[in-house]
Amino acid sequence: MLKLGVNIDHVATLRQARYQGKAAGEPDPADAAIICEAAGAHGITIHLREDRRHIQERDVWSIREIVKTRLNLEMANAPEILALALKVKPEIVCLVPEHRKEVTTEGGLEVVGQLKDLIDTRKRLNDAGIEVSLFITPDLRQVEASAKAGAQFIELHTGAFAEQFHEPEQRHGEIQRLVIAAKRAHEIGLQVNAGHGLNYQNLSSLHCVPHLVELNIGHSIISRSITVGLHQAVQQMLRLMQNDAA
Ligand code: PXP
């Protein structure tokens, strides 16, 4: 069954809009994690960015304490954050590229060009019992390099698919890229997740991508929670995912 990891970064975005620099404030992403799990989410995802624009270090610890499913920590391959991850011990770390000026994670990780560094980090995380995922664009060179890096998972960047969703020809092209990348990843022993820009409208078009284990979805679920509540928003997404699989 296709699993759902809910990315709760934007709960913290809302809190930081009012309580930046304060030791506490509302809404608390840890409360959101509890609701997502109660609604049936299979995991909780958070991104501790180097600029701390949403999730703070204290959130990482409090969320670690309450998550009962599995915690996926997205992070840049940076020494300070790696040291923290090794202490916090999420079940899985997803390594992502990070640029300070971007609104959200814009590209995929350049695995080919950073293979040696990524192997070192992957080994350190695996030695601490943490699985490793690499967030990459659906590009066969990056898929092959991810296997060479020894990652357990890749997360296919669905941002281009989401952007082209309303252009049938381009959308078809992006879906084909995802299909080809997922097939190759599966062949060479990688587990395949996907995420970025997925929402209640575009999700169904992804059902033809094979071998998907988990989708990581944030913005659309947190946005919908403002009108229907977080529990409902998570359940609506889960129902969509189940209908597509049926
Ligand atoms: N996966 C990764 C690696 C991401 O960086 C993000 C955005 O933080 C997501 C999934 C979720 O993207 P969205 O908020 O667009 O659903």
Side-chain angles (χ1 to χ4, degrees), residues 79-241:
E80 174 223 358
I81 308 223
L82 176 60
L84 180 74
L86 292 169
K87 284 190 222 146
V88 170
K89 293 192 192 299
E91 277 70 28
I92 178 164
V93 156
C94 181
L95 294 171
V96 302
E98 218 173 90
H99 310 286
R100 286 198 176 227
K101 290 213 171 109
E102 67 193 359
V103 175
T104 177
T105 317
E106 275 162 12
L109 202 58
E110 174 43 50
V111 185
V112 180
Q114 300 181 67
L115 197 53
K116 190 181 161 307
D117 283 354
L118 289 170
I119 290 174
D120 287 349
T121 298
R122 194 274 303 157
K123 279 189 182 150
R124 291 183 66 190
L125 289 163
N126 282 171
D127 287 350
I130 303 166
E131 290 193 294
V132 174
S133 178
L134 303 178
F135 185 51
I136 58 171
T137 52
D139 168 345
L140 289 181
R141 288 169 60 247
Q142 304 297 348
V143 173
E144 308 269 351
S146 299
K148 283 195 195 126
Q152 285 70 51
F153 287 85
I154 52 168
E155 180 171 330
L156 290 174
H157 195 315
T158 49
F161 153 75
E163 287 215 346
Q164 301 298 336
F165 181 67
H166 296 288
E167 304 291 336
E169 225 169 89
Q170 281 93 324
R171 174 178 68 206
H172 179 72
E174 290 303 333
I175 292 173
Q176 284 314 109
R177 287 179 68 204
L178 291 163
V179 168
I180 291 166
K183 280 188 180 159
R184 183 66 188 140
H186 181 73
E187 263 169 27
I188 57 180
L190 290 161
Q191 297 180 73
V192 186
N193 297 335
H196 209 284
L198 299 179
N199 60 35
Y200 299 85
Q201 286 75 46
N202 64 25
L203 188 82
S204 304
S205 299
L206 271 196
H207 73 273
C208 56
V209 179
H211 312 303
L212 290 178
V213 175
E214 181 165 307
L215 302 179
N216 278 306
I217 308 182
H219 187 271
S220 68
I221 292 177
I222 303 307
S223 301
R224 185 165 290 207
S225 76
I226 291 172
T227 47
V228 305
L230 187 52
H231 194 276
Q232 272 286 342
V234 170
Q235 291 206 324
Q236 286 176 9
M237 190 59 85
L238 283 167
R239 271 200 295 277
L240 265 184
M241 287 165 60

Side-chain angles (χ1 to χ4, degrees), residues 37-97:
E37 286 193 328
H42 304 93
I44 299 298
T45 296
I46 51 175
H47 184 173
L48 183 67
R49 293 187 72 104
E50 287 182 279
D51 64 11
R52 305 293 194 269
R53 68 173 69 161
H54 39 52
I55 294 290
Q56 308 295 302
E57 228 175 283
R58 68 176 191 274
D59 297 320
V60 178
W61 287 107
S62 64
I63 291 166
R64 167 69 291 177
E65 217 159 89
I66 56 99
V67 165
K68 295 193 176 63
T69 52
R70 63 115 196 84
L71 178 62
N72 173 22
L73 178 64
E74 293 175 2
M75 52 175 254
N77 186 18
E80 174 223 358
I81 308 223
L82 176 60
L84 180 74
L86 292 169
K87 284 190 222 146
V88 170
K89 293 192 192 299
E91 277 70 28
I92 178 164
V93 156
C94 181
L95 294 171
V96 302

